[in-house]
Amino acid sequence: MKLTGIHHLTAIASEPARNVAFYTRDLGMRMVKKTINFDDPETYHLYYGDESGAPGTLLTFFPFPGVRAGRAGSGQVVAFAFRVREGSLGFWKERLEKLGHGHEEESGRFGEKMLSFRDPDGFRIELVESEPLPGITAAERAGVPPEHALAGFHGVVLRLDDPVPSAEFLTGLLGADEVGREAETHRLRLGDEVEGAVLDLMAAGSDGQGVGGAGTVHHIAWRTPDDEHQEQAHQQIREAGTAVSPVTERNYFRSIYFREPGGILYEIATDPPGFTVDEPMESLGSRLMLPPWMEPHREDIEARLPGIAGR
Ligand code: ZN
């Protein structure tokens, strides 16, 4: 099975305007698509990424105004790490302080230099110094110069009652490699050293079962190069006896969904066609985009969505 890393990570937020402000104004990410949840048209689906919306940079949210806060715990992706270039942690530390966001400088897992903080809904974000993801595009945005821009996913942290079956599922079926073990943490890598991502699987400990809600991850999507590789993955997952959805058209990629043994929802998404399929690169994210089958209902849909200061 050819999975080359993380395609996107989708989380739940509460107030959409606050979510937009944090990720675009504070973290300097670009909103690369403003659309709706295709399965729930009264909810936005907001995508943040690099300038081009490259797979591997995409953090996406379903914001539900007023939704209760979730609780991070077992059966969830509980944190993610972005890459920043060597020497950028100082810039980010200063910027977060100036913006009044608490943060911690940590010696991260496996000896990595790391800065951690939380988004407005309490979701844990880590910045780790490493090489930028190949193929991404950086530009000055919201006062973040290109050399300090977030440079793609470094990895994710998965919390599980028992990390062993989940690790075996990733290595045995999805093609991940075990690259390290530190105390209770199993570190796997999906994809190669340059483009791939590290997956840190940790035992739940005293955190207990995770509860969905604002500040928690809905699912994680792994990347595959094209439809043919997705079809191969689909077949292999079925043959392994794991229930998997049919291929679903997501307009910007095609997806299949299934659950790993610890209960975390996985998706496999194709790299193509990408975010310029319905609007040009220069204006990505500036207008509410709807898939062709929802376009006839645009007026109704827009009337039901809360206002946000998109950019
Ligand atoms: Zn997804």
Side-chain angles (χ1 to χ4, degrees):
M1 191 176 306
K2 191 173 169 71
L3 305 183
T4 55
I6 296 172
H7 185 284
H8 65 268
L9 186 72
T10 295
I12 310 289
S14 53
E15 302 311 317
R18 192 173 65 166
N19 182 263
V20 174
F22 181 78
Y23 285 98
T24 62
R25 190 194 60 199
D26 295 357
L27 297 193
M29 297 180 81
R30 182 176 191 186
M31 188 191 281
V32 292
K33 196 63 66 181
K34 180 163 57 177
T35 183
I36 52 170
N37 181 344
F38 293 178
D39 303 321
D40 171 16
E42 292 188 22
T43 304
Y44 280 114
H45 193 180
L46 306 176
Y47 289 76
Y48 307 106
D50 76 336
E51 291 300 300
S52 65
T57 70
L58 301 164
L59 181 61
T60 96
F61 287 91
F62 297 133
F64 298 98
V67 74
R68 62 162 194 184
R71 193 180 71 218
S74 164
Q76 291 179 342
V77 174
V78 296
F80 69 90
F82 276 128
R83 307 174 187 214
V84 292
R85 289 162 184 80
E86 198 74 39
S88 277
L89 287 185
F91 167 85
W92 280 103
K93 189 169 161 346
E94 203 173 298
R95 183 173 170 95
L96 291 167
E97 271 160 23
K98 225 181 277 172
L99 294 168
H101 298 306
H103 61 80
E104 282 174 64
E105 217 169 342
E106 301 173 34
S107 66
R109 297 174 297 279
F110 302 92
E112 291 166 333
K113 262 173 106 178
M114 180 207 285
L115 190 66
S116 72
F117 52 99
R118 293 187 181 268
D119 88 350
D121 287 302
F123 187 48
R124 181 181 162 97
I125 303 172
E126 302 171 344
L127 303 182
V128 174
E129 288 190 351
S130 51
E131 286 294 311
L133 189 73
I136 64 168
T137 317
E140 164 109 23
R141 196 165 277 275
V144 178
E147 65 271 23
H148 294 309
L150 304 180
F153 285 113
H154 171 72
V156 283
V157 180
L158 289 70
R159 249 190 214 287
L160 299 148
D161 280 340
D162 180 1
V164 175
S166 295
E168 285 172 356
F169 186 81
L170 279 159
T171 54
L173 184 60
L174 302 193
D177 296 309
E178 173 129 17
V179 292
R181 194 174 292 196
E182 190 183 79
E184 296 297 296
T185 304
H186 297 241
R187 171 163 283 197
L188 311 184
R189 180 182 289 112
L190 192 64
D192 64 27
E193 272 189 51
V194 179
E195 211 178 25
V198 293
L199 320 177
D200 287 340
L201 280 63
M202 301 171 93
S206 57
D207 280 359
Q209 194 69 32
V211 179
T216 65
V217 170
H218 186 268
H219 64 267
I220 181 155
W222 313 117
R223 296 172 70 171
T224 199
D226 52 35
D227 292 331
E228 201 183 324
H229 283 94
Q230 185 175 62
E231 187 43 48
Q232 283 170 13
H234 201 211
Q235 198 176 332
Q236 286 172 25
I237 294 164
R238 270 199 317 263
E239 282 168 6
T242 299
V244 54
S245 78
V247 176
T248 308
E249 177 60 59
R250 293 304 187 198
N251 221 25
Y252 312 108
F253 42 86
R254 281 169 282 283
S255 299
I256 56 175
Y257 301 87
F258 52 103
R259 280 190 196 277
E260 58 85 47
I264 300 176
L265 183 60
Y266 282 178
E267 171 180 349
I268 293 175
T270 54
D271 280 359
F275 289 88
T276 52
V277 73
D278 59 357
E279 58 185 339
M281 187 83 82
E282 313 82 75
S283 56
L284 284 180
S286 56
R287 176 171 185 257
L288 180 74
M289 300 309 295
L290 299 174
W293 64 92
M294 287 182 172
E295 200 54 63
H297 311 291
R298 174 175 284 274
E299 223 170 285
D300 266 5
I301 289 170
E302 285 185 342
R304 285 160 198 258
L305 287 167
I308 50 172
R311 46 185 306 153

